Amino acid sequence: MSALFEPCTLRSLTIPNRVWMAPMCQYSAPAQGPLTSVAGDWHFAHYAARATGGTGLILLEATGVSPEGRISPADLGLWNDEQTAGLRRIADFLTEQGTVPGIQLAHAGCKASTDRPWRGGAPLGPDAEGWLPSAPSPVPFDEDHPVPHELTVEQIQEIAGQFADSARRALTAGFRVVEIHGAHGYLIGEFLSPHSNHRTDAYGGSFDNRVRFALEVVDAVRTVWPEDLPLFFRVSATDWLEPDGWTVADTVRLAALLRQHGVDLLDVSSGGNAPNVSIPTGPGYQVPFATRVRSETGLPVAAVGLITEPGQAEKIVAGGEADAVLLGRQLLREPSWPRRAARELGAGHVTGPVQYGRAA
């Protein structure tokens, strides 16, 4: 038997295997008009291919909880009925294929309002589909980004409510997992790190103050998300600015608090909060961060980052380094990677479309 293809149960939800798809923005939703930020045919085809490929859980890309919370004008959003309906089509199909549909809810903070990556990814102003970003402090991401608006306490609390409203819509759309995006230098991650959070009120300064917003978002989402369904949280374990930034030890402390507030699994990534940072990448380079959180807090974790081979993924799960693996670019290259992994690991048949039965 393969540990990678054992079911994973969180609360009342059973995910059929431990090969999961990490959220990856597609920057392919309409940027203007009545269907702004609504999932279309590209999103359906993209996610459907990974579901028919045997992925156990698919986490849809960072989905803005407000227009100003999107990374780009072409990001998905979840603040109106049209967006809810567009996502329902995808969630329903994933469910039909035996894949658990999940969605990542996000606010981009000071990194909002940028162009699509293949068009350079530069910041966009109000004269080019863009807007002025907001952040914990008036600290731009880099010299090319504008100085963001410093959020007031009232605006911070309003954004926590927007996360809850989007989670409620996600449930209506048929999603069974919600992940709160607290990583990669977006708004929640900006609050966590002293590099980007220079506030002197109840949301800045000490560790307890800097994690306050993250916990308020979790609490707001948990009030509307069903008790029997799991809630995930994505974190950058380090912003690679130690000892002056967010550290792995900070992540362990946060993980223990998140568990107390109703988070069921930590999706452990790293980086993204500062430009031009030296990161020692390599196969599975972020896995030790996930392992440390799991061993020191007991909170289930998913590992991500240059996990590309079936044997590598099997070792991570079988060895107790993580409870699941989240694949990103590898699933872009190979939508049916889970089926290949099952064959190579001798895991037997992975449930899939009857139409493809002759290829089993």
Side-chain angles (χ1 to χ4, degrees):
M1 295 296 293
S2 163
L4 194 61
F5 288 92
E6 285 291 313
C8 177
T9 298
L10 297 166
R11 299 200 182 224
S12 70
L13 180 70
T14 298
I15 303 168
N17 62 51
R18 295 164 191 256
V19 182
W20 302 349
M21 182 175 176
M24 290 175 285
C25 290
Q26 297 297 293
Y27 307 101
S28 298
Q32 294 179 327
L35 298 181
T36 297
S37 296
V38 173
D41 289 346
W42 171 261
H43 299 92
F44 182 86
H46 170 64
Y47 292 113
R50 279 78 196 166
T52 58
T55 306
L57 164 69
I58 290 177
L59 288 169
L60 266 65
E61 62 206 77
T63 301
V65 298
S66 69
E68 301 78 18
R70 296 169 296 168
I71 301 168
S72 85
D75 281 9
L76 292 181
L78 193 48
W79 63 81
N80 65 38
D81 291 345
E82 289 77 19
Q83 294 160 347
T84 306
L87 290 169
R88 184 197 298 275
R89 177 188 178 210
I90 296 172
D92 287 349
F93 184 82
L94 267 54
T95 300
E96 289 170 5
Q97 304 310 309
T99 294
V100 173
I103 189 168
Q104 185 186 72
L105 301 180
H107 191 296
C110 76
K111 296 172 75 173
S113 191
T114 59
D115 206 349
R116 299 155 184 81
W118 51 84
R119 288 174 21 178
L124 297 174
D127 59 342
E129 299 182 339
W131 57 92
L132 179 65
S134 299
S137 304
V139 179
F141 176 67
D142 62 21
E143 61 184 14
D144 295 324
H145 281 68
V147 175
H149 161 71
E150 183 175 27
L151 292 165
T152 66
V153 171
E154 293 74 18
Q155 289 169 333
I156 292 170
Q157 294 168 351
E158 179 182 358
I159 292 171
Q162 291 170 343
F163 272 91
D165 290 343
S166 292
R168 188 184 295 109
R169 289 186 177 277
L171 184 65
T172 300
F175 291 96
R176 309 297 286 168
V177 173
V178 155
E179 176 173 275
I180 296 169
H181 197 351
H184 302 156
Y186 299 120
L187 185 64
I188 295 176
E190 291 164 22
F191 271 93
L192 295 177
S193 176
H195 170 75
S196 46
N197 184 347
H198 299 175
R199 299 179 73 97
T200 58
D201 62 6
Y203 289 93
S206 69
F207 173 88
D208 289 340
N209 283 356
R210 286 183 283 111
V211 304
R212 187 183 307 278
F213 178 56
L215 298 179
E216 287 181 351
V217 170
V218 168
D219 289 345
V221 171
R222 258 291 161 215
T223 62
V224 302
W225 193 243
E227 184 68 22
D228 63 335
L229 292 179
L231 175 63
F232 291 7
F233 189 98
R234 185 168 231 193
V235 67
S236 285
T238 172
D239 50 21
W240 298 100
L241 298 171
E242 299 189 35
D244 299 321
W246 180 257
T247 69
V248 182
D250 290 333
T251 295
V252 172
R253 290 180 66 187
L254 175 63
L257 293 170
L258 291 172
R259 188 180 190 189
Q260 294 172 14
H261 284 253
V263 168
D264 300 285
L265 180 137
L266 197 67
D267 171 359
V268 186
S269 187
S270 73
N273 198 35
N276 306 316
V277 175
S278 178
I279 301 177
T281 60
Y285 70 104
Q286 296 175 142
V287 174
F289 303 146
T291 304
R292 180 171 171 183
V293 169
R294 189 176 191 264
S295 64
E296 293 190 25
T297 70
L299 181 66
V301 297
V304 64
L306 292 179
I307 299 169
T308 60
E309 295 302 322
Q312 175 195 18
E314 175 73 14
K315 178 179 178 294
I316 290 168
V317 175
E321 297 174 74
D323 298 274
V325 294
L326 281 159
L327 273 59
R329 291 175 177 85
Q330 188 60 34
L331 278 175
L332 297 184
R333 290 186 285 263
E334 191 179 355
S336 294
W337 187 95
R339 300 198 181 286
R340 175 168 72 85
R343 291 194 302 271
E344 292 186 14
L345 296 172
H349 178 63
V350 177
T351 301
V354 295
Q355 295 89 337
Y356 293 177
R358 73 191 75 178

